[in-house]
């Protein structure tokens, strides 16, 4: 039986919604690497050369293939599949360079007991609720704490404290961690812990997920460690990219930076010398596909991947629809926050 023609959707070019017309699925050939430099790359399409002046048309064709290939399975729709990392800030932390380095590296010291009692908890999705086992505060803290910074001679481990005789080794099970950061010499001080909930983007939309909230002396807001037991966390499905790489002039999306109703901010991977960076979005009721188009610079250019945030406006609010990368076909997760 012949494969049905892809369902039509919409695409957004530079924030403007345009209708997407039905076109036959076409094979894309010859690669444009994600970390490509700035020289243009030729690509073919169904036996005839692609037109580098029409990357939006090539994007539409590939986006339709990505959407048709997306078959996530039952767990995506009924289980708990988080689309962001397990450590979440609950507000504006008021970082200094040292405290931000400590947060990114996972350097903590506990001043309160961490109890090993395990409990159950409920995740509240837009379409229902799900009760799952949770880890204890002690287990969550072990996941949060990644060690301690190397000592910095002449500098305190905590802001405002003198260091007679230089730094001392912090007691406890943590060993010193190696880091390329030379300016950060402190650990974040945990002064309290409670069980709460934080908003998390999941495969079923934004959900309220149980989390252990750690009060940190040096920060203005608690640090949340998601509390769902690892055995209850579903995996993101493997990407199912269509045949062939990206045509010339198109670039892939790396992750999501923000979602606010119909406004979605994605981070594109572009070359160091690329110009004319424009987001491209193709949407239908069950899925959204994103990428971008660029103008490659003539001549030589350093081979470096840059991450460029761009914002588009969808025809309807994103809701629980997955946002797929046009290159890999993988669902995009939220960037660390």
């Amino acid at each position: 039986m012949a494969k049905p023609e892809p369902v039509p959707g919409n695409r957004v070019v530079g924030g403007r919604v345009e209708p997407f017309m039905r076109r036959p699925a076409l094979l894309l050939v010859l690669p444009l690497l994600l970390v490509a430099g700035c020289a243009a790359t030729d690509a073919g399409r169904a036996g005839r050369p692609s037109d580098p002046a029409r990357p939006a048309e090539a994007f539409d064709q590939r986006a339709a293939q990505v959407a048709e290939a997306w078959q996530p399975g039952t767990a995506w729709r009924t289980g708990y599949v988080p689309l962001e990392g397990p450590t979440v800030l609950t507000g504006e932390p008021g970082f200094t360079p040292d405290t931000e380095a400590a947060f990114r590296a996972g350097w903590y010291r506990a001043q309160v007991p961490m109890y090993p009692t395990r409990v159950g908890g409920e995740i509240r999705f837009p379409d229902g609720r799900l009760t799952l086992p949770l880890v204890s505060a002690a287990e969550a803290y072990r996941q949060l704490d990644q060690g301690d910074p190397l000592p910095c001679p002449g500098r305190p481990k905590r802001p405002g404290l003198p260091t007679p005789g230089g730094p001392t080794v912090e007691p406890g099970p943590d060993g010193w961690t190696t880091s390329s950061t030379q300016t950060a010499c402190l650990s974040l001080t945990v002064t309290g812990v409670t069980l709460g909930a934080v908003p998390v983007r999941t495969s079923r939309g934004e959900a309220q997920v149980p989390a252990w909230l750690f009060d940190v002396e040096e920060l203005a807001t608690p640090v949340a460690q998601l509390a769902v037991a690892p055995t209850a966390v579903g995996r993101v499905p493997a990407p199912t990219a269509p045949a062939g790489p990206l045509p010339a002039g198109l670039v892939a999306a790396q992750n999501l930076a923000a979602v606010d109703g119909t406004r979605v901010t994605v981070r594109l991977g572009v070359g160091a010398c690329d110009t004319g960076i424009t987001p491209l979005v193709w949407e239908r009721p069950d899925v959204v596909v994103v990428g971008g188009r660029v103008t490659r610079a003539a001549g030589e250019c350093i081979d470096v991947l840059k991450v460029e945030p761009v914002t588009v406006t969808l025809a309807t609010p994103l809701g629980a629809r997955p946002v797929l990368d046009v290159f890999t076909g993988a669902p995009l997760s939220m960037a660390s926050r």
Side-chain angles (χ1 to χ4, degrees), residues 112-115 137-138 140-141 190-195 211-215 223:
V112 291
M114 299 293 169
Y115 296 105
Y141 181 73
V190 175
T191 58
V193 57
T194 56
L195 183 62
W212 289 103
L213 308 179
F214 294 97
D215 296 319
V223 175

Side-chain angles (χ1 to χ4, degrees), residues 14 18 85 156 165 171 199 213 238 288 309:
E18 296 181 352
L213 308 179
V288 172

Side-chain angles (χ1 to χ4, degrees), residues 261-328:
T262 60
R263 291 175 58 83
V264 178
T265 300
V266 302
R267 303 202 301 176
L268 302 177
V270 303
C273 303
D274 289 349
T275 59
I277 301 168
T278 304
L280 296 171
V281 177
W282 187 96
E283 62 177 307
R284 69 183 191 188
D286 63 328
V287 69
V288 172
V289 183
V290 297
R293 68 184 180 194
V294 298
T295 300
R296 305 289 185 184
E300 295 183 357
C301 178
I302 185 172
D303 190 14
V304 173
L305 178 69
K306 292 173 53 181
V307 177
E308 184 75 19
V310 293
T311 300
V312 296
T313 302
L314 304 177
T316 59
L318 179 63
R321 290 181 293 173
V323 181
L324 308 180
D325 169 37
V326 72
F327 177 43
T328 63

